[in-house]
């Protein structure tokens, strides 16, 4: 699994910039959905897990 993507400040200056940003947000949405599915599968098989002050239970 890869590390989290570092957020960047974005300044849109053209339609092309907007299209690139839209494509990137779509890619990130798809990646997040896949990661949540992987986490859900893990929790279904192994039960909840804790990290820091939070815990992951059946989603």
């Amino acid at each position: 699994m890869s590390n989290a993507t570092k957020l960047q400040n974005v300044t849109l200056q053209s339609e092309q910039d907007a299209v690139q940003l839209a494509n990137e947000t779509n890619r990130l949405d798809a990646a997040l959905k896949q990661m949540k599915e992987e986490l859900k599968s893990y929790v279904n098989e192994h039960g909840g897990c804790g990290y820091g002050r939070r815990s992951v239970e059946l989603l």
Side-chain angles (χ1 to χ4, degrees):
M1 182 74 46
S2 64
N3 292 331
T5 301
K6 184 176 180 180
L7 296 178
Q8 302 174 14
N9 290 332
V10 177
T11 302
L12 300 179
Q13 297 179 352
S14 67
E15 184 175 343
Q16 182 179 358
D17 290 346
V19 169
Q20 288 176 341
L21 182 59
N23 287 333
E24 180 69 2
T25 60
N26 287 335
R27 186 190 68 77
L28 291 171
D29 284 341
L32 180 58
K33 181 179 179 180
Q34 181 180 358
M35 287 185 278
K36 285 182 176 183
E37 287 298 319
E38 290 176 20
L39 183 57
K40 182 178 178 181
S41 177
Y42 177 88
V43 170
N44 282 335
E45 185 174 337
H46 301 283
C49 58
Y51 62 101
R53 294 182 177 173
R54 296 182 177 203
S55 65
V56 177
E57 302 297 332
L58 186 59
L59 303 174

